[in-house]
Amino acid sequence: MKAFMPGGSVSYTPKGLAYRDKWGALRYAANTALLGLIAAKDGVQQTSFVNWARSQIHYMLGDTGRSFVVGFGVNPPNTPHHVGSSCPPCNWSQGTACPACGWDNLSAPGPNPNVLYGALIGGPNQSDYFVNDRSDYVTNEPADDYNAGFQSALAGLQYFVGKV
């Protein structure tokens, strides 16, 4: 936690994201937010850790002008690097088979046909710059290790509502 807190060894973007690495930048802040909330629940630096975690999660949710959570908030990403959400939608009502889907769908133009609601993607660069581009897996990929910490930190923040 010490490294991620202001003044530690982890740098910050101009808009306040604790920025450890370019590949999946938001994962580090989300997972560390979770760790801080766990420590805060045990009484360790409760106010500072909760406030810091809140600032990082709110950054991801769009407090600085854009959301990095698919299907949520202001200007959310709509082209995550995710094959399943890039596939053509199935038309179940007609009783036909789903269209073929594979890696080629990642190069299709436009937003993903299937919205991957709630998925945190990799995130911006160290200058808060982000391009909503499916082919850029470094910044647009959703992954389990990004979302486990993110979703758990959301639950942790809910725990602290009205307490800190």
Side-chain angles (χ1 to χ4, degrees), residues 57-143:
I57 297 301
H58 283 204
Y59 179 103
M60 297 167 206
L61 293 172
D63 274 10
T64 62
R66 98 156 296 127
S67 170
F68 295 97
V69 179
V70 178
F72 178 85
V74 176
N75 195 20
N78 61 7
T79 59
H81 183 84
H82 184 269
V83 174
S85 67
S86 302
C87 294
C90 296
N91 191 345
W92 299 107
S93 64
Q94 293 182 357
T96 58
C98 291
C101 180
W103 286 104
D104 291 343
N105 294 95
L106 284 174
S107 60
N112 290 16
N114 302 296
V115 179
L116 196 60
Y117 288 104
L120 179 71
I121 59 164
N125 70 13
Q126 68 267 20
S127 300
D128 296 302
Y129 181 72
F130 173 77
V131 177
N132 190 19
D133 178 5
R134 187 181 303 112
S135 67
D136 184 355
Y137 50 85
V138 171
T139 61
N140 286 272
E141 174 182 66

Side-chain angles (χ1 to χ4, degrees), residues 15-17 19-20 22 24 26-27 56 67-69 72 91 94 96 98-99 102 114 126 146-148 150 153-154 161:
K15 292 183 179 180
L17 173 67
Y19 192 88
R20 185 179 176 277
K22 71 177 184 175
L26 295 175
R27 102 177 84 181
Q56 298 303 296
S67 170
F68 295 97
V69 179
F72 178 85
N91 191 345
Q94 293 182 357
T96 58
C98 291
N114 302 296
Q126 68 267 20
Y146 304 2
N147 285 278
F150 174 67
L154 287 171
V161 169

Side-chain angles (χ1 to χ4, degrees), residues 1 4-6 12 16-18 26 28-41 44-61 63 149-150 152-158 160 164:
M1 284 301 304
F4 275 80
M5 298 300 285
Y12 279 75
L17 173 67
L26 295 175
Y28 301 106
N31 289 326
T32 306
L34 171 60
L35 295 175
L37 291 166
I38 291 168
K41 187 172 187 272
V44 179
Q45 297 186 40
Q46 189 173 77
T47 300
S48 63
F49 284 0
V50 170
N51 288 338
W52 182 84
R54 184 180 296 122
S55 74
Q56 298 303 296
I57 297 301
H58 283 204
Y59 179 103
M60 297 167 206
L61 293 172
D63 274 10
F150 174 67
S152 298
L154 287 171
L157 287 173
Q158 181 61 35
F160 282 105
V164 174

